[in-house]
Amino acid sequence: MNMIRTTLVLVPALAALAAGPAYAGDIVGKVKYAGTPPVPAKIQVTKDQAVCGKAEHVDESLIVGSDKGLKNVVVNIADPKDGKKMPPAAKKPEIDQNGCKFIPHVQIVPAGQEVDIINDDGILHNIHTFPKVNTPFNKAQPKFKKVMPGMFEKPDVVQIKCDVHSWMQGWVVVAGHPYYALTDASGNFKISDVPAGSYTLEYWQEKLGKQTKPIAVPATGSVTADLEYAAK
Ligand SMILES: [Cu+2]
């Protein structure tokens, strides 16, 4: 008897969830760095000069663009309430080792989606991940092995290194829901179709860490979030 009553109550609730929120808005904004923009330090290439030394290497850990805009900041809702999973990316995500750099330097990938680890260099790389909750992997990718599969099961922030080339650094932010965005070279971002309501907006940068700000998403249109890191 109890079970029947529970089912009757649950069915309309589930139907409402499946139909999605009736009202949703966008979060648009810019992340700024309040300090003096640093000049990215040049990185000394100490190995495989013929391939790795073709292009200049600079420290990409704090890139400040026009009007103090901060590149490669991951902005997301910390506490979504609709239970939506991040859909698979339209194009399979790639961690590309090209010119002995990880390209892109920072990316957001859906939890549980396979990624292609690509060796475009025709030399030995060894990808080594440093996750907080996922299983780490540490795999040699010889020069003849162009593509290897990779996977990050759970939401996480994962540092990527190469055990052959000490300067190679990258980051994969694994997303469990759709409300994530990465800032562009000017620090701008947009998170679309967020169900109306009050949330905590979270933003993470590899060198400056994580900060939060409360945000109220309107039922239509957009809310602007001006986010800032203090000088470090
Ligand atoms: Cu390498």
Side-chain angles (χ1 to χ4, degrees):
M1 205 56 190
N2 264 344
M3 207 163 130
I4 291 167
R5 199 178 306 136
T6 311
T7 309
L8 286 174
V9 173
L10 272 178
V11 167
L14 284 174
L17 265 182
Y23 302 102
D26 300 335
I27 305 170
V28 295
K30 177 167 177 138
V31 185
K32 286 188 178 185
Y33 179 64
T36 307
V39 178
K42 284 193 174 58
I43 289 170
Q44 219 48 40
V45 168
T46 50
K47 208 170 181 179
D48 296 320
Q49 288 289 348
V51 174
C52 306
K54 274 193 284 192
E56 192 175 70
H57 290 249
V58 294
D59 180 358
E60 293 180 87
S61 65
L62 189 67
I63 304 288
V64 183
S66 59
D67 192 25
K68 299 199 178 233
L70 194 49
K71 188 184 177 184
N72 281 338
V73 181
V74 175
V75 187
N76 65 278
I77 297 279
D79 49 354
K81 294 160 186 83
D82 62 0
K84 270 193 189 171
K85 295 266 177 281
M86 190 181 215
K91 186 179 178 293
K92 199 174 182 185
E94 295 179 352
I95 301 171
D96 189 12
Q97 299 158 107
N98 192 319
C100 309
K101 290 179 191 178
F102 288 116
I103 299 173
H105 180 65
V106 180
Q107 66 180 310
I108 299 164
V109 306
Q113 182 175 15
E114 191 176 275
V115 302
D116 280 340
I117 300 164
I118 297 173
N119 183 352
D120 263 327
D121 285 336
I123 57 170
L124 172 72
H125 287 296
N126 187 111
I127 191 160
H128 193 165
T129 66
F130 296 83
K132 290 177 185 65
V133 294
N134 283 283
T135 309
F137 57 88
N138 181 359
K139 273 183 199 156
Q141 190 164 15
K143 58 185 179 183
F144 52 83
K145 192 154 184 127
K146 176 95 177 159
V147 185
M148 293 194 310
M151 169 90 80
F152 304 92
E153 297 283 355
K154 300 173 203 144
D156 203 353
V157 174
V158 183
Q159 188 173 24
I160 313 282
K161 293 185 180 183
C162 173
D163 285 350
V164 179
H165 307 103
S166 59
W167 64 84
M168 290 179 70
Q169 301 254 10
W171 294 87
V172 169
V173 174
V174 190
H177 63 74
Y179 309 115
Y180 274 77
L182 185 68
T183 60
D184 64 16
S186 303
N188 295 311
F189 71 91
K190 181 180 183 181
I191 304 175
S192 300
D193 291 325
V194 183
S198 295
Y199 300 97
T200 299
L201 197 59
E202 202 171 68
Y203 51 112
W204 171 89
Q205 199 275 347
E206 63 181 278
K207 202 165 185 176
L208 304 172
K210 192 178 275 186
Q211 294 188 179
T212 59
K213 187 177 184 172
I215 191 98
V217 177
T220 179
S222 63
V223 58
T224 302
D226 294 315
L227 310 175
E228 190 174 83
Y229 281 100
K232 195 172 181 179

